[in-house]
């Protein structure tokens, strides 16, 4: 099915590019974006799968009650360091492609930073290995999203990629609170990956065929 | 804009916060609810690693302070610490404290080191006892040249297993090194005995390359093995000695050929016809710079396979069976001759040797007969 629509699009693109009356459509950019979006979508699904194993191992390392299925501790009112994936549904629907992509890009850049800090502190060799592997994949996702943005002509979000450190306030004042932070980091990662799949699904439907149809109508075909 | 809230907004405070304890010790912990929260001591309860602690171990120390007594603590369930949590009546988490219960580390033991082509040094060791301290234990490998003050710390860990470290450069030859391992955790430090060695005493090299195994003409019971000496040996004044091991394809028992010397070829004999053999070769650099000491055996080369030819002649049906009979018969004969020697002084020429000679003669005439 994706193959068929791909073939149709390529044909249309080639046909349009050959008509002398039309300004040359820069087909390669849209082609690139479409493929990148699919890749990014696939990456989020893969990461989601990887996270399940990583989270299982990590929560076992934290010990009960963190690894209990119904564990739901309060998010204590401390510095909100991890960007939240949950957003109002209408707000989410109304996001422009640029805003949608930028939100994903910013979120994963931040999450990657926090995960890397975790990597430095964690005890067992097995966990460090899994974390390193996950961070590498997550880095791939960030780059992939950046690639999609560039191919669609959007600028990459600027600003601090690292965790903001308010002066004087420690990241986590004790070991138990740090465990809670780690728990919420993993939860937020999970939520973001679920959300990203929906984000990229939406983008997939919007980018290549829709662009071409609009242009055909404008020319009175 | 991030929300910055002062620590006083935490619902409760536990004391002690994240303590470290020896196995078997006891602990009294207190949970004090923050004045901003409308909770009393009777609204609280404790859990340890998700399990509710019995109310009999609680004590009310104040209107909003509840304590719990823990006796004879076992080693921590996980290295990240046991989770001691103070809850409100509805199960909500008010505060938590991580308990680190364990033992101080034991002296690391069995330090062994080797140097690949005199370029580096890798050492491995074992934790003392079974290594179960219940706490995260850090190992640091240190080394220094004897008589030259400065301690150095190894940086690259886990290169040859969990308890190993790799020193990649800046190693001097012809000088003794002192090497030791320090183990440390929250409860203390333990230092291994010092091992003294010269890099030249623990040299190993790469396995031989280009191992070829081929048939020797039509000979059914032989294979010829050839290899190249590892290239690194050329740079240093090593001699090399080699060892070969081989096995039949579907067996896990290796036969070792030990007296290969420093040749780069060898012939294996006494093999089974029509059989696939796996062969490996390894190298030991010795007589480094003239010393007579042996180095450390390299890894085995990747297995190379070859098969011995099988002749066209049909194997005689009697032969395998005959072989079995022969061993029992031979044994009995040996016993008989032994008895004869003891009791019949005249027949000293009779013996098992004579019997063997007769058997050889029998086989030869059997072969010539079949080849016709």
């Amino acid at each position: 099915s994706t193959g068929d629509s791909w073939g149709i699009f390529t044909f249309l693109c080639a046909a349009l590019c050959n008509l002398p009356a039309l300004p040359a459509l820069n087909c390669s950019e849209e082609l690139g974006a479409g493929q990148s979006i699919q890749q990014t979508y696939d990456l989020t699904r893969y990461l989601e799968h990887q996270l399940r194993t990583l989270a299982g191992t990590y929560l076992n390392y934290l010990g009960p009650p963190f690894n209990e299925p119904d564990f739901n501790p309060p998010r204590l009112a401390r510095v909100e360091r991890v960007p939240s994936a949950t957003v109002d549904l209408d707000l989410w629907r109304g996001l422009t492609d640029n805003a949608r992509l930028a939100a994903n890009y910013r979120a994963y850049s931040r999450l990657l930073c926090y995960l890397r800090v975790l990597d430095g502190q964690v005890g067992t060799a097995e966990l460090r290995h899994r974390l390193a592997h996950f961070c590498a994949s997550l880095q791939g996702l960030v780059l992939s999203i950046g690639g999609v943005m560039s191919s669609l002509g959007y600028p990459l979000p600027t600003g601090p990629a690292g965790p903001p450190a308010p002066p004087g306030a420690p990241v986590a004042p004790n070991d138990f609170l740090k465990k809670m932070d780690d728990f919420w980091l993993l939860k937020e990662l999970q939520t973001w990956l679920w959300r990203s799949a929906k984000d990229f699904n939406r983008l997939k439907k919007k980018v290549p065929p829709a662009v071409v149809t609009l242009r055909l109508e404008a020319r009175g075909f | 804009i991030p929300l910055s809230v002062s620590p006083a907004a935490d619902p409760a405070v536990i004391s002690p916060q994240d303590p470290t304890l020896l196995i078997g010790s006891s602990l009294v912990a207190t949970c004090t609810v923050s004045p901003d929260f409308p909770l009393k001591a009777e609204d609280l309860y404790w859990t340890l690693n998700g399990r509710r602690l019995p109310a009999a171990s609680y004590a009310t120390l104040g209107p909003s302070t509840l304590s719990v007594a823990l006796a004879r603590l076992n080693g921590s369930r996980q290295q990240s610490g046991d989770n001691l949590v103070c809850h409100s009546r509805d199960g909500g988490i008010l505060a938590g404290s991580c308990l680190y219960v364990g033992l101080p580390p034991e002296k690391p033991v069995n330090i062994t080191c080797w140097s690949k082509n005199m370029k580096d040094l890798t050492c491995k060791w074992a934790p003392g006892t079974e290594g179960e301290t219940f706490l995260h234990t850090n190992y640091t490998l240190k080394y220094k040249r004897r008589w030259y003050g400065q301690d150095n710390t190894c940086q690259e860990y886990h290169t040859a297993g969990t308890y190993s470290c790799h020193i990649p450069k800046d190693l001097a030859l012809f000088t003794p090194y002192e090497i030791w391992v320090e183990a440390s955790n929250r409860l203390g430090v333990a230092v291994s005995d010092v091992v003294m060695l010269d890099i030249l005493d623990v040299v190993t090299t790469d396995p031989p390359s280009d191992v070829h195994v081929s048939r020797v003409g039509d000979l059914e019971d032989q294979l010829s093995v050839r290899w190249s000496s590892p290239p690194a040996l050329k740079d240093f004044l090593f001699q090399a000695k080699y060892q070969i091991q081989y096995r039949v394809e579907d067996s896990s028992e290796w036969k070792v050929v030990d007296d290969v010397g420093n040749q780069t070829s060898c012939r294996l004999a006494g093999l089974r016809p029509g059989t696939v053999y796996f062969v490996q070769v390894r190298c030991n650099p010795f007589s480094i710079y003239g010393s007579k000491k042996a180095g450390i055996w390299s890894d085995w080369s990747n297995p190379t396979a070859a098969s011995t030819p099988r002749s066209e002649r049909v194997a005689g049906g009697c032969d395998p069976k005959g072989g079995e009979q022969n061993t029992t018969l031979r044994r009995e004969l040996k016993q008989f001759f032994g008895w004869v020697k003891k009791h019949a002084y005249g027949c000293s020429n009779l013996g098992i040797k004579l019997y063997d000679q007769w058997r050889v003669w029998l086989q030869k005439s059997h072969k010539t007969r079949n080849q016709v």
Side-chain angles (χ1 to χ4, degrees):
Chain A
S1 48
T2 22
D4 288 338
S5 49
W6 201 240
I8 293 167
F9 170 62
T10 328
F11 167 75
L12 280 170
C13 201
L16 287 166
C17 289
N18 281 328
L19 290 171
L22 283 171
L25 256 179
N26 200 338
C27 297
S28 56
E29 273 181 8
E30 269 86 38
L31 257 166
Q35 214 159 32
S36 302
I37 290 172
Q38 180 63 50
Q39 275 175 8
T40 314
Y41 172 82
D42 292 338
L43 248 174
T44 61
R45 301 314 304 273
Y46 171 67
L47 275 162
E48 204 189 323
H49 172 78
Q50 248 195 300
L51 181 61
R52 248 175 267 145
T53 324
L54 174 65
T57 315
Y58 197 73
L59 293 175
N60 281 337
Y61 170 73
L62 295 183
F66 293 94
N67 59 355
E68 281 161 8
D70 52 352
F71 185 59
N72 190 21
R75 263 190 118 146
L76 300 177
R78 294 169 58 250
V79 177
E80 271 305 317
R81 28 177 241 160
V82 176
S84 181
T86 49
V87 65
D88 176 69
L89 185 59
D90 291 325
L91 212 84
W92 179 78
R93 282 213 197 98
L95 284 172
T96 62
D97 293 347
N98 189 3
R100 193 177 299 279
L101 287 162
N104 274 269
Y105 188 87
R106 275 198 206 95
Y108 288 118
S109 302
R110 277 269 214 99
L111 287 163
L112 184 59
C113 267
Y114 289 122
L115 268 180
R116 282 188 174 140
V117 169
L118 211 70
D119 191 6
Q121 304 161 337
V122 143
T124 68
E126 186 212 354
L127 253 177
R128 273 197 302 269
H129 179 75
R130 283 195 200 271
L131 257 171
H133 185 45
F134 189 85
C135 281
S137 307
L138 194 57
Q139 171 78 79
L141 179 61
V142 172
L143 289 169
S144 194
I145 300 172
V148 172
M149 294 185 81
S150 301
S151 67
L152 289 175
Y154 301 132
L156 286 180
T158 51
V171 171
N174 65 55
D175 293 350
F176 187 79
L177 284 174
K178 180 167 189 312
K179 285 193 179 184
M180 298 249 270
D181 276 351
D182 294 349
F183 175 85
W184 280 116
L185 176 63
L186 291 171
K187 259 279 182 288
E188 205 55 68
L189 242 177
Q190 192 176 55
T191 319
W192 260 110
L193 288 168
W194 284 340
R195 170 171 154 184
S196 292
K198 295 183 174 53
D199 280 324
F200 286 100
N201 225 355
R202 208 175 169 83
L203 285 163
K204 252 202 293 189
K205 292 171 185 159
K206 287 186 75 189
V207 178
V211 171
V212 179
T213 331
L214 278 166
R215 298 216 173 161
L216 284 171
E217 284 170 348
R219 293 284 168 229
F221 278 90
Chain B
I1 300 163
L3 277 168
S4 184
V5 190
S6 66
D10 283 340
V13 168
I14 290 184
S15 174
Q17 182 69 59
D18 310 332
T20 304
L21 304 148
L22 212 52
I23 286 186
S25 46
S26 301
L27 175 73
V28 173
T30 62
C31 178
T32 306
V33 184
S34 158
D36 307 334
F37 282 75
L39 287 168
K40 300 277 160 257
E42 56 261 26
D43 301 322
L44 309 175
Y45 72 91
W46 292 92
T47 62
L48 180 64
N49 288 329
R51 281 226 192 102
R52 191 164 182 146
L53 292 168
S57 57
Y58 300 171
T60 305
L61 300 184
S64 47
T65 305
L66 183 72
S67 77
V68 66
L70 301 161
R72 291 179 300 278
L73 288 163
N74 287 324
S76 284
R77 187 188 178 283
Q78 54 271 341
Q79 281 192 353
S80 65
D82 292 321
N83 301 313
L84 179 66
V85 183
C86 176
H87 299 258
S88 61
R89 192 192 297 255
D90 61 355
I93 292 178
L94 300 173
S97 177
C98 293
L99 309 182
Y100 301 97
V101 188
L103 298 164
E106 301 244 342
K107 261 167 55 157
V109 292
N110 299 344
I111 301 179
T112 47
C113 303
W114 63 93
S115 169
K116 192 85 170 299
N117 301 322
M118 302 193 296
K119 289 196 159 70
D120 61 10
L121 191 68
T122 307
C123 293
K124 63 178 170 65
W125 61 90
T129 64
E130 306 94 52
E132 183 56 277
T133 54
F134 302 97
L135 302 170
H136 172 65
T137 306
N138 240 338
Y139 293 89
T140 310
L141 181 99
K142 294 205 173 148
Y143 59 102
K144 71 186 251 269
R145 283 159 71 181
R146 203 179 188 204
W147 309 307
Y148 285 91
Q150 208 192 12
D151 284 3
N152 299 292
T153 306
C154 179
Q155 306 290 334
E156 294 173 30
Y157 289 85
H158 320 301
T159 52
T162 315
Y163 305 109
S164 66
C165 197
H166 177 240
I167 305 164
K169 57 187 176 128
D170 298 334
L171 290 164
L173 303 174
F174 303 111
T175 180
Y177 271 92
E178 292 182 0
I179 300 174
W180 66 98
V181 179
E182 294 177 5
S184 79
N185 66 22
R186 285 168 189 263
L187 279 171
V189 179
V191 182
S192 72
D193 294 333
V194 174
V195 158
M196 202 124 61
L197 57 80
D198 191 316
I199 305 292
L200 291 179
D201 294 338
V202 292
V203 182
T204 185
T205 187
D206 311 291
S209 52
D210 303 325
V211 178
H212 291 295
V213 185
S214 46
R215 292 179 175 183
V216 184
D218 289 330
L219 294 175
E220 318 172 326
D221 63 336
Q222 296 189 18
L223 286 173
S224 157
V225 190
R226 281 173 298 111
W227 60 88
S228 308
S229 66
L233 289 186
K234 278 201 279 4
D235 302 336
F236 317 108
L237 296 170
F238 288 157
Q239 288 185 46
K241 53 178 180 174
Y242 299 97
Q243 230 182 31
I244 302 175
Q245 70 172 9
Y246 63 95
R247 67 175 171 86
V248 180
E249 182 174 20
D250 44 6
S251 155
S252 53
E253 245 187 75
W254 290 96
K255 283 216 180 79
V256 178
V257 181
D258 227 339
D259 48 358
V260 183
N262 66 346
Q263 295 126 317
T264 54
S265 65
C266 179
R267 205 184 269 200
L268 304 172
L271 307 176
R272 248 194 275 155
T275 319
V276 177
Y277 281 89
F278 291 147
V279 181
Q280 294 179 302
V281 191
R282 67 179 180 175
C283 174
N284 188 323
F286 80 103
S287 190
I288 297 150
Y289 293 130
S291 85
K292 290 299 171 199
K293 273 189 180 173
I296 295 176
W297 286 105
S298 72
D299 289 334
W300 289 104
S301 64
N302 283 331
T304 310
S307 63
T308 46
R310 180 191 286 283
S311 71
E312 295 308 305
R313 134 176 106 90
V314 175
C318 297
D319 277 359
K321 279 200 194 148
E324 280 164 21
Q325 275 184 355
N326 274 346
T327 44
T328 6
L329 175 61
R330 193 173 178 280
R331 231 184 299 132
E332 282 178 341
L333 271 173
K334 201 168 179 181
Q335 286 168 346
F336 171 65
F337 289 135
W339 180 87
V340 162
K341 270 207 179 106
K342 265 193 195 164
H343 298 94
Y345 311 93
C347 310
S348 51
N349 282 337
L350 268 176
I352 198 69
K353 278 199 180 122
L354 199 60
Y355 170 72
D356 280 342
Q357 275 178 359
W358 176 71
R359 287 285 309 155
V360 171
W361 176 87
L362 201 63
Q363 263 189 356
K364 275 196 185 142
S365 61
H366 206 67
K367 253 190 179 162
T368 43
R369 244 180 284 146
N370 287 344
Q371 274 170 357
V372 166

